[in-house]
């Protein structure tokens, strides 16, 4: 069943709606963005969706995987994805873009976060300095190939994310609702490498996107919003359609 990440969540209500409808990952943006969230609200979301007794051991499992240097890329990323799904609750992911490591580590501790998403041009090696599993974005533009540097490097990021490169957006990538060619993503699934896919997804097209690209998971932000606010009906429809595909 397709993993679903609802990103750009800014309210407890939206987070609870996502969790109650089966979202696997709830993303909160800590980089400059119209969807920027403050620490105190993120902490309230964490309290609302993560049971107080839940053990946060995602980082330990990733540390174990990072020692398995002899794994192939398909083996490594499948093992990482399987471990992440073993928690039985929505994981909280903080999204950062070309920000200082100290800032990232501070937010991880304060919220606390289960995952970090590096959504800029950070080197893949940066993931080794972060104590929780890392989702690393690779922006799909006209010159993109799946053999791009770092995509299949093992022992660093735990999850590959493909998102559309929007040149007009400048430094602020992500959340623009722009699609890329899903057959590019399909070339990863043809190699048996699990990945997340974002970029212009919505309740109306996510089913087709899953059928064409066969991703491990899908990631949405603007596609479940109305007037720049998370729409509960769209969240529910997106999750249902993604998981039914």
């Amino acid at each position: 069943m397709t993993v679903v990440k609802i990103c750009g969540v800014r309210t407890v209500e939206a987070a609870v709606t996502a969790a109650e409808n089966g979202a696997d990952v709830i993303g909160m943006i800590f980089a400059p963005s119209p969807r920027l969230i403050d620490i105190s609200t993120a902490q309230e979301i964490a309290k609302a969706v993560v049971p107080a007794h839940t053990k946060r051991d995602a980082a330990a499992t990733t540390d174990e995987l990072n020692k398995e240097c002899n794994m192939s890329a398909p083996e490594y990323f499948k093992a990482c994805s399987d471990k992440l799904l073993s928690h039985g609750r929505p994981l909280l992911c903080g999204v950062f873009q070309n920000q200082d490591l100290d800032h990232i580590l501070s937010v991880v501790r304060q919220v606390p976060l289960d995952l970090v998403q590096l959504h800029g041009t950070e080197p893949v090696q940066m993931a080794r300095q972060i104590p929780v599993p890392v989702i690393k974005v690779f922006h799909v533009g006209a010159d993109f190939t799946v053999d791009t540097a770092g995509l299949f490097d093992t022992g660093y990021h735990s999850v590959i994310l493909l998102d559309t490169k929007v040149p007009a957006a400048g430094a602020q990538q992500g959340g623009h609702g722009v699609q890329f060619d899903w057959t590019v993503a399909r070339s990863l699934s043809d190699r048996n490498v699990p990945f997340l896919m974002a970029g212009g997804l919505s309740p109306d097209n996510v089913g087709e996107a899953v059928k064409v690209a066969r991703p491990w998971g899908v990631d949405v932000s603007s596609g479940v919003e109305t007037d720049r606010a998370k729409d509960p009906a769209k969240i529910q429809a997106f999750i249902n359609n993604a998981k039914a595909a």
Side-chain angles (χ1 to χ4, degrees):
M1 189 175 290
T2 308
V3 167
V4 175
K5 176 173 174 278
I6 304 295
C7 200
V9 171
R10 290 180 290 163
T11 67
V12 170
E13 292 76 16
V16 169
T17 296
E20 290 180 343
N21 282 281
D24 302 283
V25 183
I26 294 171
M28 298 175 286
I29 297 176
F30 295 95
S33 165
R35 301 178 183 89
L36 177 68
I37 192 170
D38 59 77
I39 295 292
S40 61
T41 303
Q43 290 172 330
E44 289 301 313
I45 288 173
K47 291 176 184 177
V49 302
V50 180
H53 64 275
T54 300
K55 182 181 179 183
R56 294 177 179 270
D57 58 356
T61 60
T62 302
D63 286 343
E64 294 168 4
L65 290 169
N66 286 345
K67 297 174 183 177
E68 299 294 335
C69 298
N70 59 338
M71 281 186 176
S72 67
E75 291 171 334
Y76 174 79
F77 289 110
K78 184 178 186 307
C80 288
S81 59
D82 288 346
K83 287 288 186 181
L84 291 178
L85 291 182
S86 68
H87 293 272
R89 63 167 176 83
L91 299 176
L92 298 179
C93 177
V95 180
F96 302 87
Q97 190 170 51
N98 299 326
Q99 289 163 282
D100 290 341
L101 178 63
D102 286 346
H103 173 66
I104 296 172
L105 298 181
S106 176
V107 175
V108 169
R109 289 191 299 267
Q110 289 182 75
V111 175
L113 299 173
D114 300 299
L115 302 167
V116 160
Q117 179 173 317
L118 298 177
H119 208 79
T121 57
E122 305 90 350
V124 296
Q125 292 82 2
M126 187 177 185
R128 280 279 184 92
Q129 299 173 280
I130 296 171
V132 297
V134 168
I135 299 171
K136 181 69 182 87
V137 73
F138 294 87
H139 293 110
V140 181
D143 57 350
F144 177 86
T145 73
V146 295
D147 295 310
T148 188
L151 189 72
F152 296 131
D153 287 0
T154 61
Y156 299 107
H157 49 285
S158 298
V159 180
I160 296 166
L161 169 62
L162 299 184
D163 196 3
T164 311
K165 183 176 183 179
V166 183
Q172 187 186 311
Q173 295 291 315
H176 298 288
V178 179
Q179 293 181 29
F180 64 86
D181 182 356
W182 295 334
T183 62
V184 173
R186 176 62 179 262
S187 62
L188 257 72
S189 57
D190 286 344
R191 298 188 188 196
N192 297 314
V193 176
F195 63 95
L196 274 171
M197 184 172 76
L201 299 178
S202 71
D204 294 332
N205 67 15
V206 69
E208 182 64 19
V210 170
K211 291 175 183 176
V212 171
R214 292 168 48 194
W216 171 69
V218 288
D219 186 343
V220 67
S221 183
S222 62
V224 291
E225 293 178 348
T226 299
D227 297 328
R228 293 206 169 201
K230 289 293 184 283
D231 185 318
K234 289 182 179 179
I235 291 174
Q236 181 177 21
F238 184 90
I239 295 170
N240 289 344
N241 293 347
K243 291 186 176 290

